[in-house]
Amino acid sequence: MQKSVQLCLFFFFFTATLSAKTIAVVVSRKLPIYEQALQGIKEKLGDKQHTVFFLDTRRTRERLRVYPFDCYIPIGGGATREVISIAKNKIVVCCLTLYEPKESACELHVAPYLPPGGALAKKLKELQPSGKHRIGTIWCHDSLRNIIHNYEKDFKIEQCPFVVTKVDSPREVPQALKKLASQIDAFLLLPEPSLMQKEALRHLLLTLLQKGKAILAFSPSLVRAGALFSLSYPPKKIGQYAGQLAVKLLYKNTNDVEKPKLEFSKNERVARFLGIESK
């Protein structure tokens, strides 16, 4: 049964590729944020001039390695790693990933995910005009290394001191947070796995709020949890951008692809607690 299914898929793939370019949209796992991005991608890949395959990395690793797709849109870090390892000399448009290798054998493009440091710094200054605007963060996972470096450059341009604490283990976070809180005015919350666990996130939010520190986030859900504000790209719009960019690159179109706009979300209760007036 399995062999017959594989033969049918191969026959479908072979006949489809005779007349159309192929795009593989690869999802690493089922998450609401990935589903929203996938919906946006589907909206922008509806053209009949190419054939689109929606694949799950857990079930289709061999198909990814065997079938020569023209373009790949991986969603999530796991899918991105898998695709980059096999898509030599192919177009790859990464979506919702922190993984950006310094070198790769493919034509790599990354859809925007985290908010730029400059925009975060300007919004913090707007909400809290006084103060030194010292921003701090804690990180552990190596996938954040390049992101931390980019934020360092952005905050330097905005003249906001950036205090970075690197920990080797999630167990070191509570002590590192206690020390960091005395050196900063605001905390930049990144998608660091050691901070995103429910209890760890709750401890971080309570500790910083008790010390009167603003928390800057990348998702409205974190604002609802207790961050002061977030600047974020909606996942569906990230997917739409990735789909449009893939088509543009695949067919060498000259039309510009507009990047998604940042959306602002603010926790009014937290703002009042921190003494920030509503604007």
Side-chain angles (χ1 to χ4, degrees):
M1 179 66 179
Q2 186 177 4
K3 286 186 177 180
S4 63
V5 171
Q6 289 178 341
L7 285 172
C8 288
L9 284 170
F10 181 80
F11 178 76
F12 173 67
F13 176 86
F14 179 74
T15 54
T17 52
L18 289 177
S19 58
K21 292 185 180 294
T22 54
I23 301 174
V25 181
V26 188
V27 185
S28 56
R29 53 183 173 149
K30 283 191 174 182
L31 290 175
I33 187 174
Y34 292 174
E35 292 294 328
Q36 294 171 44
L38 185 59
Q39 183 181 354
I41 292 171
K42 287 180 177 179
E43 289 181 5
K44 298 302 179 181
L45 295 185
D47 198 314
K48 294 182 180 179
Q49 65 182 321
H50 48 254
T51 303
V52 182
F53 296 82
F54 296 97
L55 306 173
D56 185 328
T57 52
R58 293 176 298 178
R59 302 174 185 172
T60 57
R61 280 190 173 88
E62 289 307 313
R63 292 173 206 168
L64 280 172
R65 294 183 182 281
V66 173
Y67 301 153
F69 296 99
D70 298 303
C71 176
Y72 299 80
I73 308 178
I75 304 175
T80 299
R81 291 175 187 273
E82 188 75 27
V83 165
I84 287 177
S85 69
I86 60 174
K88 294 183 179 179
N89 302 317
K90 300 294 183 180
I91 298 168
V92 177
V93 181
C94 305
C95 188
L96 294 178
T97 182
L98 302 176
Y99 177 64
E100 294 184 39
K102 293 182 179 179
E103 296 181 359
S104 67
C106 59
E107 183 185 333
L108 185 64
H109 304 266
V110 182
Y113 177 24
L114 297 178
L120 287 167
K122 288 174 182 175
K123 182 58 69 173
L124 176 63
K125 290 177 180 179
E126 176 187 324
L127 295 174
Q128 293 184 313
S130 61
K132 297 180 180 179
H133 302 111
R134 298 167 300 175
I135 301 171
T137 197
I138 294 174
W139 69 289
C140 177
H141 201 274
D142 197 56
S143 62
L144 288 169
R145 187 178 300 277
N146 290 341
I147 291 166
I148 292 292
H149 180 64
N150 290 335
Y151 276 122
E152 286 176 336
K153 294 190 292 185
D154 289 349
F155 291 143
K156 185 176 181 180
I157 292 173
E158 295 298 325
Q159 298 182 335
C160 290
F162 191 36
V163 185
V164 179
T165 299
K166 172 75 165 65
V167 297
D168 297 320
S169 164
R171 292 190 299 271
E172 299 176 14
V173 170
Q175 188 61 33
L177 183 63
K178 183 179 179 181
K179 181 179 178 181
L180 181 65
S182 64
Q183 303 172 344
I184 63 173
D185 303 296
F187 184 88
L188 174 62
L189 185 54
L190 296 172
E192 163 58 52
S194 63
L195 300 180
M196 290 295 105
Q197 300 297 325
K198 185 175 180 180
E199 286 304 315
L201 180 60
R202 182 174 178 274
H203 172 76
L204 180 143
L205 292 168
L206 286 174
T207 299
L208 291 170
L209 286 174
Q210 286 172 355
K211 294 182 179 295
K213 309 299 180 182
I215 300 166
L216 324 182
F218 60 92
S219 167
S221 64
L222 295 171
V223 173
R224 292 191 291 271
L228 172 60
F229 74 85
S230 71
L231 290 175
S232 62
Y233 299 105
K236 183 178 178 180
K237 292 184 179 179
I238 295 175
Q240 290 172 338
Y241 172 81
Q244 285 181 298
L245 182 59
V247 171
K248 170 185 169 67
L249 296 169
L250 189 58
Y251 296 100
K252 296 180 172 57
N253 295 338
T254 57
N255 298 334
D256 292 332
V257 178
E258 186 178 355
K259 289 186 177 181
K261 291 181 172 58
L262 286 168
E263 294 190 358
F264 173 65
S265 179
K266 178 184 171 188
N267 189 316
E268 294 293 345
R269 291 180 62 187
V270 170
R272 288 195 296 272
F273 179 79
L274 296 174
I276 298 173
E277 296 181 2
S278 296
K279 294 186 179 182

